[in-house]
């Protein structure tokens, strides 16, 4: 299963704004969009997801649903992304189609190892920078934190960075053997940046395997 290197986490103040941003991301060349709606009901997420997948399917962009794995299965999304507080990946795997991917969130080496035991397809490791506006109170890892984990964690599964990542951060993240990134704000502020992110990540679909650096 090939996991794109750039994940756009769709955001917006309203369902309409979220869907507009998904549309903009798709027209700007996003390979994968993640739909996460904090504090929304499953019914509401299902409604928005049905609209979102019409857009992403048209552009052949992958759609990942945060948390609501039953919604992901119902609309046949490409996969589901699980925060630490969501259901266990092993349990979720039993409910999904075999081709659907599962990503998990980690902040420490122990988190990563626990996720790898649960057969996830990729790990989002972070946050890279601390974000006061986010409810995530996990300590920011920075480049040193990432390097400390990737030096020890030898896995073919992609490790993606997240948390306040901008274009300037990408070269250092790649040196830390982070294989991809999940970005929200930097892309929402400038959808044209998707092309630059892809270029920096060398994110053509043929090169989506984890890089080893000499």
């Amino acid at each position: 299963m090939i996991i794109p290197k750039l994940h756009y986490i769709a955001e917006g103040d309203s369902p309409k704004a979220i869907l507009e941003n998904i549309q903009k991301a798709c027209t700007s060349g996003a390979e994968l969009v993640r739909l996460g709606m904090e504090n929304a009901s499953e019914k509401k997420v299902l409604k928005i997801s049905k609209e979102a997948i019409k857009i992403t399917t048209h552009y052949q962009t992958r759609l990942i649903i945060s948390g609501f794995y039953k919604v992901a299965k119902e609309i046949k999304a490409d996969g589901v992304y699980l925060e630490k507080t969501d259901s266990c990946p092993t349990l979720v795997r039993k409910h999904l189609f075999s081709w659907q991917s599962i990503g998990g969130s980690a902040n420490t080496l122990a988190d990563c190892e626990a996720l790898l035991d649960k057969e996830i397809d990729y790990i989002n490791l972070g946050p890279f920078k601390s974000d006061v506006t986010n409810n995530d109170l996990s300590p920011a890892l920075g480049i040193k934190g990432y390097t400390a984990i990737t030096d020890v964690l030898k896995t073919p599964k992609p490790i993606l960075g997240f948390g306040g990542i901008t274009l300037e951060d990408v070269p250092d993240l790649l040196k830390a053997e982070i294989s991809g990134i999940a970005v929200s704000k930097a892309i929402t502020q400038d959808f044209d940046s998707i092309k630059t992110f892809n270029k920096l990540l060398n994110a053509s679909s043929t090169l989506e395997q984890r890089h080893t650096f000499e």
Side-chain angles (χ1 to χ4, degrees):
M1 182 180 296
I2 293 175
I3 305 293
K5 290 182 173 183
L6 180 63
H7 295 195
Y8 169 57
I9 307 165
E11 57 176 5
D13 297 332
S14 64
K16 184 170 177 270
I18 291 169
L19 291 169
E20 280 172 4
N21 284 339
I22 289 174
Q23 172 94 30
K24 287 176 191 167
C26 289
T27 54
S28 303
E31 283 185 71
L32 185 148
V33 171
R34 189 169 102 212
L35 175 64
M37 295 174 65
E38 277 182 34
N39 309 322
S41 66
E42 189 155 341
K43 191 176 168 187
K44 190 171 183 183
V45 172
L46 177 61
K47 191 180 170 196
I48 308 293
S49 299
K50 283 178 174 173
E51 293 302 313
I53 201 155
K54 285 179 197 166
I55 301 168
T56 55
T57 303
H58 177 76
Y59 290 98
Q60 295 182 316
T61 300
R62 297 183 210 187
L63 179 67
I64 299 288
I65 305 295
S66 266
F68 294 95
Y69 61 89
K70 288 173 183 166
V71 170
K73 182 166 187 179
E74 184 169 336
I75 66 160
K76 294 187 168 65
D78 291 273
V80 66
Y81 175 73
L82 303 170
E83 300 281 1
K84 287 186 197 176
T85 48
D86 290 325
S87 307
C88 171
T90 313
L91 170 84
V92 172
R93 176 68 72 201
K94 291 175 184 155
H95 288 274
L96 295 181
F97 295 107
S98 59
W99 49 266
Q100 287 178 304
S101 66
I102 297 181
S105 175
N107 176 247
T108 63
L109 177 62
D111 289 344
C112 293
E113 288 169 339
L115 284 171
L116 291 171
D117 286 340
K118 290 173 182 163
E119 295 178 52
I120 46 84
D121 297 295
Y122 61 95
I123 293 172
N124 274 20
L125 179 61
F128 173 54
K129 297 170 188 165
S130 55
D131 181 358
V132 189
T133 58
N134 198 329
N135 302 331
D136 188 0
L137 299 172
S138 307
L141 291 170
I143 293 297
K144 281 183 181 167
Y146 281 137
T147 308
I149 291 172
T150 55
D151 279 354
V152 181
L153 192 75
K154 297 302 174 199
T155 172
K157 300 272 168 82
I159 306 291
L160 280 71
F162 74 88
I165 293 171
T166 61
L167 287 168
E168 291 73 38
D169 300 319
V170 176
D172 286 339
L173 288 167
L174 291 173
K175 282 180 199 152
E177 291 204 20
I178 293 295
S179 39
I181 51 174
V183 180
S184 190
K185 281 194 180 72
I187 288 177
T188 306
Q189 286 161 1
D190 177 14
F191 285 95
D192 287 340
S193 68
I194 289 175
K195 292 180 181 64
T196 317
F197 272 117
N198 279 336
K199 206 169 181 179
L200 287 168
L201 290 162
N202 199 3
S204 68
S205 50
T206 50
L207 292 167
E208 281 173 340
Q209 295 310 314
R210 191 182 169 112
H211 288 77
T212 49
F213 293 90
E214 297 308 319

